[in-house]
């Protein structure tokens, strides 16, 4: 099999590597499509997950049903990517890592659920109808174990490359280190290595099957333990009451994890449902009972979240937690139904899992589109609480709308800044909303009106040139990084040192607190940011105290900067 799929694997991997390298260059140069999340998200989703689907079924590349299925999956990823990218405020694109993570995790989950349905339809020649659960189970866990093995293989491959580079670096040969760090090398090589590892793992299908059976054969014996924990804790609650549970602040989190473990180990015991788990008869009968505990725990979690929502309103995190709890509750209700039915142990679990797979697909699509978008729901609820008087204008978190709810919060803030007709705190709301809209970082504070008064100048007795102050005022709201970072972060002191860095008897100005530590110089066009200073040590408060008492000095260097193929190397002399 490996020889038969080697050529298509190589083609798919090289195309994937080239596409990811192209996206990397766009991000590095900050050009389209990197500047437009509505294009960047779908491109990354398609370039990452579609080749993975192809690698798992290279033998069916000429099958029309498979090609149509992959094309439909790619189209779905593209549509969802556009929808997710459209929720990001362009000015805050670089600061919206949570959206990127949630989208990536959601699309990975979608791939894990949808791919087995496509594979079983292609392999059986049945494009319609629900495939048997045994086939879905085999395909799903086969995919999981193959991908995990391929990931480990790729990680070990790169570990060996780093070892290779480090060994030659010791003897002064850096060519391999430079080569391996080049994106033009890393992307295609990683793609080819991963694709080859997938094909290699699939060529040993029996080994993967034995590995899965061995893994589940061990894990199924943990079900009695987690079942005992779940039942014992539930029976304790009537004696202790719920008050101690809510005082912890993380009871919902712990109970959710208990339910996840319980459901997972039920699946480890059930597997594909083709045979009974190897428990004694009395234990199999007893293990039907803990399945009823899941809906009870889910009800407690919903109650806990509802208390929090009633107190603080909806947030993106609370919406995700609520939906996760509802999904767990649905699984629990299905497993309880399977446990209470007569016949073989948990015989209906396969049907429950199949139905829940489509429920999850629908939820993932809904959560990524405006239909159930958590940021939209959270922004609408928070604004409603403000307008209904549940929270005052002074205590309302405008920055949450700005930095946690994407374009939905941005639109809401703009409506608030324009004025809320008939609201008694209209002016205060508009002022605070406008101030939040002006921020590009959650921890920013508005620039002080008297800039000279808040800047500490070193050496003592020196003063900031007026034209430099004018330049810094103009850069206060700039997204280029040319302004003083201390002007934008509340509580961070502004320390500016005047020192001649280039030996022309004209002092430059260096910002000594916060990152970046900018360097400003007077040019023919006036003051400009010309770079930044960097140190390999952490800048901390005690260091700043010593700066105030010890004069700074510049150290001439006998070594020039070496520029080799666009890379700059700085010589650091060793101390003898």
């Amino acid at each position: 099999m490996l020889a038969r799929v080697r050529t298509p694997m190589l083609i798919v991997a090289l195309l994937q590597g080239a596409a990811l390298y192209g996206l990397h260059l766009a991000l590095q140069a900050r050009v389209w499509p990197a500047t437009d999340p509505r294009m960047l998200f779908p491109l990354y989703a398609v370039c990452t997950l579609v080749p993975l689907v192809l690698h798992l079924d290279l033998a069916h590349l000429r099958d029309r049903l498979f090609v149509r299925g992959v094309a439909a999956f790619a189209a779905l990823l593209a549509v969802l990517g556009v929808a997710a990218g459209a929720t990001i405020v362009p000015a805050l694109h670089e600061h919206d890592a949570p959206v990127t993570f949630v989208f990536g995790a959601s699309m990975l989950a979608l791939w894990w659920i949808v791919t087995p349905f496509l594979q079983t339809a292609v392999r059986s020649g049945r494009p319609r109808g629900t495939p048997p659960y045994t086939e879905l189970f085999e395909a799903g866990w086969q995919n999981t174990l193959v991908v995990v093995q391929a990931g480990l293989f790729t990680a070990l491959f790169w570990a060996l490359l780093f070892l290779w580079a480090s060994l030659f670096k010791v003897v002064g040969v850096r060519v391999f280190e430079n080569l391996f760090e080049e994106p033009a090398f890393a992307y295609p090589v990683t793609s080819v290595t991963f694709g080859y590892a997938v094909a290699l793992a699939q060529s040993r299908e029996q080994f993967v099957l034995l590995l899965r059976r061995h893994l589940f054969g061990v894990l199924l014996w943990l079900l009695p333990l987690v079942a005992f924990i779940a039942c014992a804790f539930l029976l304790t609650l009537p004696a202790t009451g719920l008050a101690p549970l809510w005082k912890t602040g993380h009871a919902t989190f712990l109970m959710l994890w208990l339910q996840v473990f319980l459901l997972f180990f039920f699946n480890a015991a059930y597997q594909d449902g083709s045979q009974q788990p190897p428990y004694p008869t009395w234990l199999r009968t007893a293990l039907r009972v803990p399945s009823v505990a899941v809906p009870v725990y889910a009800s407690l979690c919903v109650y806990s979240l509802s208390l929090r929502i009633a107190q603080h309103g909806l947030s993106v995190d609370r919406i995700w937690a609520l939906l996760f709890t509802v999904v767990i509750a649905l699984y629990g209700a299905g497993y309880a139904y399977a446990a209470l039915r007569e016949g073989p142990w948990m015989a209906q679990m396969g049907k429950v899992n199949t139905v829940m797979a489509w429920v999850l697909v629908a939820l993932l699509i809904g959560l990524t589109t405006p239909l159930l978008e958590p940021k939209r729901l959270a922004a609408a609820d928070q604004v409603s609480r403000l307008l209904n008087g549940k929270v005052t204008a002074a205590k309302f978190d405008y920055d949450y709308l700005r930095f946690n709810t994407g374009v939905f919060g941005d639109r809401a803030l703009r409506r608030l800044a324009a004025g809320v007709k008939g609201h008694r705190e209209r002016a205060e709301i508009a002022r605070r909303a406008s101030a939040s809209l002006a921020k590009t970082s959650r921890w920013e504070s508005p620039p002080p009106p008297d800039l000279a008064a808040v800047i500490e100048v070193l050496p003592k007795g020196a003063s900031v040139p007026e034209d430099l102050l004018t330049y810094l005022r103009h850069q206060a709201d700039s997204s280029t990084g040319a302004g003083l970072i201390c002007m934008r972060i509340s509580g961070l002191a502004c320390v500016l040192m005047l020192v001649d860095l280039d030996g022309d008897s004209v002092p430059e100005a260096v910002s000594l607190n916060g990152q970046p530590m900018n360097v400003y110089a007077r040019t023919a066009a006036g003051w400009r940011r010309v770079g930044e200073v960097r140190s390999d040590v952490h800048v901390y408060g005690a260091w700043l105290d010593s700066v105030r008492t010890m004069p700074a000095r510049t150290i001439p260097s006998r070594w020039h900067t070496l520029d080799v193929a666009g890379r700059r190397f700085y010589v650091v002399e060793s101390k003898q």
Side-chain angles (χ1 to χ4, degrees):
M1 175 185 175
L2 186 59
R4 185 158 50 94
V5 300
R6 185 180 290 120
T7 299
M9 177 274 295
L10 190 61
I11 294 172
V12 170
L14 288 175
L15 288 174
Q16 180 188 31
L20 292 176
Y21 176 58
L23 291 173
H24 171 86
L25 291 179
L27 285 169
Q28 196 174 44
R30 295 188 178 184
V31 297
W32 189 91
T35 54
D36 187 355
R38 293 168 300 178
M39 287 301 298
L40 190 64
F41 276 41
L43 284 173
Y44 261 113
V46 171
C47 293
T48 303
L49 294 178
V50 170
L52 184 54
V53 177
L54 295 175
H55 280 311
L56 290 169
D57 265 290
L58 288 171
H60 295 94
L61 281 179
R62 297 184 179 181
D63 189 304
R64 291 185 179 181
L65 177 60
F66 181 66
V67 172
R68 289 199 300 267
V70 173
F73 181 61
L76 178 61
L77 290 177
V79 170
L80 296 180
V82 171
T87 67
I88 296 179
V89 180
L92 305 178
H93 174 30
E94 296 181 0
H95 306 282
D96 220 333
V99 177
T100 305
F101 173 79
V102 169
F103 174 72
S106 300
M107 295 305 97
L108 188 62
L110 193 65
W111 162 83
W112 192 77
I113 297 169
V114 170
T115 304
F117 283 91
L118 174 61
Q119 290 172 318
T120 52
V122 172
R123 294 169 186 175
S124 64
R126 298 189 302 267
R128 297 182 181 180
T130 303
Y133 180 70
T134 53
E135 294 180 12
L136 292 173
F137 178 86
E138 288 286 342
W141 282 104
Q142 181 85 359
N143 293 342
T144 303
L145 293 177
V146 164
V147 169
V148 168
Q149 288 183 77
L152 290 174
F153 182 92
T154 306
L156 288 173
F157 173 82
W158 271 104
L160 289 174
L161 290 189
F162 283 129
L163 177 61
W164 178 357
S166 299
L167 286 173
F168 278 88
K169 182 180 177 180
V170 169
V171 294
V173 178
R174 294 177 175 268
V175 62
F176 298 112
E177 180 186 29
N178 295 334
L179 174 63
F180 298 157
E181 289 179 354
E182 282 294 331
F185 174 86
Y187 280 101
V189 168
T190 302
S191 298
V192 171
T193 303
F194 186 84
Y196 177 78
V198 169
L200 191 64
Q202 287 188 311
S203 68
R204 288 154 176 78
E205 186 175 349
Q206 289 302 314
F207 171 76
V208 177
L209 180 62
L210 289 173
L211 178 63
R212 190 203 77 208
R213 288 177 177 173
H214 173 72
L215 180 65
F216 279 11
V218 172
L219 292 178
L220 66 85
W221 291 104
L222 290 175
L223 175 60
L225 175 60
V226 71
F228 175 78
I229 295 171
C231 292
F233 183 74
L234 203 58
L235 292 173
T236 304
L237 289 181
T240 62
L242 297 178
L245 198 62
W246 308 142
K247 287 181 181 179
T248 62
H250 52 270
T252 302
F253 177 79
L254 294 176
M255 289 190 294
L256 282 174
W257 270 110
L258 179 61
Q259 295 169 76
V260 169
F261 278 122
L262 192 57
L263 295 178
F264 175 76
F265 289 123
F266 262 116
N267 277 278
Y270 179 76
Q271 297 191 37
D272 62 0
S274 59
Q275 55 186 358
Q276 298 270 33
Y279 299 131
T281 303
W282 67 269
L283 184 56
R284 279 203 303 271
T285 303
L287 285 175
R288 292 176 181 262
V289 178
S291 63
V292 183
V294 176
V296 179
Y297 276 112
S299 300
L300 291 174
C301 291
V302 170
Y303 176 66
S304 173
L305 285 168
S306 66
L307 294 177
R308 191 72 174 169
I309 291 171
Q311 185 179 7
H312 300 288
L314 288 175
S315 68
V316 174
D317 292 341
R318 291 179 201 122
I319 291 172
W320 277 104
L322 184 60
L323 288 169
F324 186 71
T325 303
V326 169
V327 169
I328 294 294
L330 291 174
Y331 268 109
Y335 286 13
Y337 165 77
L340 297 175
R341 294 265 299 187
E342 294 184 0
W345 187 79
M346 305 294 287
Q348 299 298 313
M349 265 185 61
K351 292 182 179 179
V352 172
N353 286 343
T354 303
V355 171
M356 285 304 301
W358 289 114
V359 171
L360 287 174
V361 168
L363 276 176
L364 288 171
I365 293 174
L367 290 166
T368 312
T369 58
L371 182 65
L372 292 176
E373 169 58 62
K375 294 188 288 296
R376 181 184 67 82
L377 299 176
D381 184 71
Q382 291 297 326
V383 171
S384 175
R385 286 169 53 82
L386 172 65
L387 300 182
N388 292 336
K390 293 183 179 180
V391 59
T392 64
K395 292 185 178 180
F396 184 74
D397 191 352
Y398 301 88
D399 287 349
Y400 183 80
L401 291 181
R402 175 65 169 158
F403 298 104
N404 295 84
T405 56
V407 293
F408 308 103
D410 185 75
R411 294 167 188 165
L413 278 176
R414 294 186 187 280
R415 289 194 297 270
L416 295 176
V420 183
K421 293 182 180 180
H423 199 283
R424 58 187 178 85
E425 293 185 287
R426 174 181 178 180
E428 181 70 6
I429 291 173
R431 183 182 69 81
R432 291 177 178 269
S434 298
S436 183
L437 282 170
K439 294 183 177 182
T440 57
S441 171
R442 185 179 180 88
W443 311 115
E444 288 179 16
S445 59
D450 186 3
L451 187 57
V454 299
I455 295 180
E456 178 183 356
V457 187
L458 298 175
K460 291 184 178 180
S463 60
V464 185
E466 188 60 38
D467 52 348
L468 176 56
L469 285 174
T470 301
Y471 172 76
L472 292 175
R473 289 191 191 98
H474 288 161
Q475 296 299 325
D477 295 323
S478 172
S479 60
T480 63
L484 291 173
I485 191 67
C486 56
M487 293 167 53
R488 307 179 70 85
I489 299 180
S490 178
L492 187 64
C494 285
V495 182
L496 202 64
M497 174 177 283
L498 300 181
V499 58
D500 182 11
L501 290 177
D502 54 5
D504 63 354
S505 300
V506 178
E508 283 72 41
V510 183
S511 170
L512 292 182
N513 206 15
Q515 296 292 337
M517 299 169 70
N518 288 333
V519 178
Y520 305 95
R522 182 179 271 124
T523 68
W527 284 91
R528 293 291 183 269
R529 177 185 181 270
V530 294
E532 60 184 272
V533 292
R534 297 183 181 180
S535 174
D536 56 357
V537 296
H538 178 63
V539 176
Y540 49 91
W543 177 81
L544 276 176
D545 292 338
S546 65
V547 169
R548 295 183 177 99
T549 58
M550 299 175 62
R553 62 191 180 93
T554 59
I555 302 174
S557 174
R558 81 180 260 206
W559 304 104
H560 293 289
T561 300
L562 177 66
D563 190 320
V564 180
R567 287 176 177 261
R568 293 187 175 183
F569 301 88
Y570 303 91
V571 178
V572 179
E573 294 180 310
S574 60
K575 297 180 179 179
Q576 300 294 335

